[in-house]
Amino acid sequence: KYPAEYVAYEARVTGAIHKAGLPAPAVGGVVEVEGRQGIILERLDGPSMLQVLRSRPWRIGQLGRTQAELHAAIHSCEMPELPSLRENLRGAIQAQADLPNETKGAVLNHLEQLPDGNTLCHGDFHPDNILMSSRGPVVIDWANPRRGDPLADVASSSLLLRLAPLPQFMAEKWMINMLRAWFHSAYLKRYLELRPFSRDRISAWELPLVASRLADNIPDEREIILAFVEKALLSQ
């Protein structure tokens, strides 16, 4: 159950993004049912991009490029009224008791060297948040959009595509890892065709993004995150 103000905020932001002409669902308002707040969203038919990938893996290159085109379209929009992504990362990192003070200081110093901005950033942009509807692909789950450097948003998606853990007992993990590497390559290549940037600028965001994930308090990820952070700092 989410607080009423969170629901109202998501409805307001999603509506503004839709009105800006971006591929987001239309919003019909906020309702309360049995004491719980909910958002009335445009009804969208069709599977998620992830479901299409699972059923039609031969489309993986095309779908990777489609995700990139959607992300580039989102990054064509500025929303200075949104909270700052960089400030959000700073707060999450500062609050981490799991990070030794010296490590935390180094990560925060790295973050200070990275740009802020007013570009709309989704924050959780991956194939399961894209619906392949009859009116075209539509991006959902606008619960925590931020403003900032678009390459931070690309880095976040890149990390999810490369490193998101698979279920422990999933069969054919090697094949799934190979396919998602192919998808990730197609996504990143197409994005950089549409918005030419150095890959180093994307990679620079990975350290603070990964460090901030400690705030999610996922026990299975703690050691992996700490090892990633230490390795990233040693390579600088």
Side-chain angles (χ1 to χ4, degrees):
K1 182 177 178 180
Y2 290 95
E5 59 269 25
Y6 285 18
V7 177
Y9 175 77
E10 182 176 350
R12 185 170 66 254
V13 172
T14 305
I17 291 166
H18 173 78
K19 288 176 182 176
L22 295 177
V27 176
V30 175
V31 295
E32 183 175 326
V33 178
E34 297 180 357
R36 300 176 66 186
Q37 299 286 320
I39 305 172
I40 301 174
L41 294 170
E42 171 188 2
R43 185 179 181 87
L44 297 165
D45 59 320
S48 72
M49 182 180 282
L50 181 61
Q51 290 171 320
V52 177
L53 282 166
R54 286 173 172 165
S55 62
R56 303 175 189 175
W58 58 87
R59 293 184 58 191
I60 201 162
Q62 173 201 349
L63 292 170
R65 292 189 292 275
T66 297
Q67 175 168 304
E69 288 160 4
L70 289 168
H71 219 180
I74 289 168
H75 293 160
S76 69
C77 180
E78 291 196 349
M79 288 198 165
E81 67 275 18
L82 292 176
S84 165
L85 171 60
R86 195 173 68 169
E87 293 302 311
N88 181 256
L89 291 175
R90 181 186 291 112
I93 294 165
Q94 286 175 332
Q96 290 317 303
D98 282 341
L99 286 175
N101 287 335
E102 185 178 349
T103 301
K104 186 185 298 185
V107 175
L108 290 170
N109 182 63
H110 177 90
L111 179 62
E112 289 304 312
Q113 314 308 312
L114 299 175
D116 204 351
N118 289 325
T119 298
L120 172 63
C121 297
H122 183 280
D124 193 24
F125 189 73
H126 55 74
D128 210 25
N129 277 338
I130 301 169
L131 298 184
M132 308 300 285
S133 77
S134 58
R135 74 168 174 91
V138 179
V139 182
I140 60 171
D141 193 8
W142 292 95
N144 292 296
R146 296 287 185 264
R147 61 167 180 84
D149 180 1
L151 299 187
D153 210 25
V154 174
S156 176
S157 292
S158 177
L159 287 165
L160 285 168
L161 292 172
R162 286 159 37 216
L163 304 178
L166 298 173
Q168 186 175 357
F169 300 107
M170 179 179 281
E172 306 295 353
K173 280 189 178 183
W174 66 270
M175 181 179 293
I176 293 169
N177 281 325
M178 181 181 69
L179 290 173
R180 71 178 183 177
W182 184 5
F183 181 91
H184 173 257
S185 177
Y187 157 74
L188 204 55
K189 180 180 178 183
R190 181 58 178 150
Y191 185 91
L192 292 174
E193 286 173 354
L194 295 168
R195 296 175 62 86
F197 290 104
S198 162
R199 288 181 184 239
D200 289 344
R201 282 193 55 191
I202 298 172
S203 300
W205 279 101
E206 292 186 355
L207 173 58
L209 284 166
V210 171
S212 72
R213 191 166 170 81
L214 284 168
D216 293 341
N217 292 316
I218 302 173
D220 291 345
E221 292 188 0
R222 181 181 178 278
E223 294 304 321
I224 296 171
I225 291 171
L226 292 174
F228 184 105
V229 169
E230 291 300 327
K231 183 178 179 180
L233 289 173
L234 285 172
S235 66
Q236 289 184 352

